[in-house]
C-alpha cells in the first residue's frame, strides 16, 4: 500500500478534499494508496479534528518547540518517515522547508499554491493579483524544490478576476478550484508510482 502523508497548518480544507477523493474514488482498491497520516506544525489546527474523524492517524510537530528550522525539519521528517510515505502532500502547510528536508523527499513531495505560477510565488497572492490588474487568477499544484514555489507544474486551474473582487472573494473562488485539482493531481502521481 502506498502511504500518503499530508502536512497542514490550519483548517485542512485541501487535505479534506484529498481524503474525500481517496474514499469516493476508492484509491485503496484502484491505486493501492491511502492517506496514512496528517501532520501539523500547529497543535490547534482544525484539520487535525477532520483527519481524526476520518480515522486517519495524526501527529503534531510544533515548530515553536524547536530552536531552529533544521531541528524542526528533523523532527518533522521523523514523524513523516514513521509512515513510510510514497508521497508527502503539503496542504496549507505554512512553513518554509530546508533544502535538506526537500532533498530527503525528492520526487515525492508536492504542494498547492494559490496563484498561476510562475506568477506570484510566496504570500498575499490574491491581493498581488488584484494590485497588478490581472484578468485571471488561480491555483497551481507543483513539485516541491528547494526554491520556493518553483518546482515542476503538475496542474493548474484558472478563475476570472471580477471587477468587484476583494482578496477574500477571489481566494474563495480559487479555493474551490484547489479542491478539484489537488486530489486529481495526487491521484495521477500515484498512478505513475
Amino acid at each position: 500500500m502506498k502511504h500518503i502523508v499530508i502536512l497542514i497548518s490550519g483548517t485542512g480544507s485541501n487535505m479534506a478534499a484529498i481524503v474525500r477523493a481517496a474514499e469516493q474514488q476508492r484509491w485503496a482498491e484502484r491505486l493501492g494508496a491511502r492517506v496514512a497520516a496528517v501532520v501539523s506544525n500547529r497543535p490547534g489546527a482544525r484539520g487535525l479534528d477532520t483527519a481524526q474523524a476520518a480515522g486517519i492517524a495524526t501527529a503534531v510537530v510544533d515548530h515553536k518547540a524547536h530552536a531552529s528550522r533544521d531541528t524542526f525539519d528533523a523532527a518533522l521528517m521523523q514523524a513523516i518517515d514513521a509512515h513510510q510515505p510514497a508521497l508527502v502532500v503539503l496542504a496549507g502547510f505554512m512553513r518554509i522547508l530546508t533544502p535538506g528536508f526537500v532533498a530527503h523527499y525528492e520526487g515525492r513531495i508536492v504542494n498547492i499554491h494559490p496563484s498561476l505560477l510562475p506568477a506570484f510565488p510566496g504570500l498575499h497572492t490574491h491581493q498581488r493579483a488584484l494590485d497588478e490588474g490581472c484578468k485571471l487568477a488561480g491555483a497551481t499544484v507543483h513539485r516541491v524544490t528547494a526554491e520556493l514555489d518553483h518546482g515542476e507544474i503538475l496542474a493548474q486551474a484558472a478563475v476570472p478576476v471580477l471587477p468587484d473582487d476583494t482578496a477574500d472573494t477571489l481566494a474563495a473562488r480559487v479555493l474551490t478550484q484547489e479542491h478539484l485539482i489537488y486530489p486529481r493531481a495526487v491521484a495521477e502521481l500515484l498512478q505513475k508510482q
Side-chain angles (χ1 to χ4, degrees), residues 5 20 94 150 169 175 190:
V5 175
R20 268 193 312 277
M94 302 304 289
H150 277 82
T169 59
L175 189 61
L190 292 166

Side-chain angles (χ1 to χ4, degrees), residues 16 19 27 55 69 78 95 103 112 121-122 131 133 136 144 146 157 173-174 184:
V19 168
W27 287 5
R69 284 177 54 199
Q78 189 174 16
R95 301 294 301 167
I112 191 157
D131 292 347
L136 289 174
V144 174
R173 276 203 321 288
V174 168
R184 190 176 320 136

Side-chain angles (χ1 to χ4, degrees), residues 98-119:
T98 60
F101 182 96
V102 173
H104 184 73
Y105 298 106
E106 186 173 358
R108 299 184 291 151
I109 183 170
V110 294
N111 184 38
I112 191 157
H113 183 73
S115 78
L116 293 172
L117 291 174

Side-chain angles (χ1 to χ4, degrees), residues 16-154:
I18 291 167
V19 168
R20 268 193 312 277
E23 183 180 307
Q24 292 170 354
Q25 298 167 16
R26 301 182 343 273
W27 287 5
E29 297 166 31
R30 289 183 37 252
L31 304 173
R34 70 182 186 95
V35 177
V38 173
V39 181
S40 177
N41 65 305
R42 293 189 177 148
R46 286 194 355 235
L48 293 170
D49 296 334
T50 303
Q52 289 166 353
I56 297 167
T58 61
V60 174
V61 181
D62 188 348
H63 65 276
K64 292 179 181 177
H66 295 273
S68 71
R69 284 177 54 199
D70 288 325
T71 60
F72 168 71
D73 280 7
L76 185 60
M77 281 191 284
Q78 189 174 16
I80 294 167
D81 288 349
H83 300 280
Q84 301 176 326
L87 196 60
V88 177
V89 176
L90 308 182
F93 187 68
M94 302 304 289
R95 301 294 301 167
I96 294 175
L97 300 164
T98 60
F101 182 96
V102 173
H104 184 73
Y105 298 106
E106 186 173 358
R108 299 184 291 151
I109 183 170
V110 294
N111 184 38
I112 191 157
H113 183 73
S115 78
L116 293 172
L117 291 174
F120 311 121
L123 300 174
H124 312 295
T125 57
H126 307 298
Q127 189 58 55
R128 289 162 61 199
L130 293 172
D131 292 347
E132 291 292 324
C134 294
K135 301 295 183 202
L136 289 174
T140 304
V141 178
H142 64 94
R143 289 194 187 273
V144 174
T145 63
E147 188 175 357
L148 183 67
D149 298 329
H150 277 82
E152 173 193 358
I153 292 172
L154 302 172

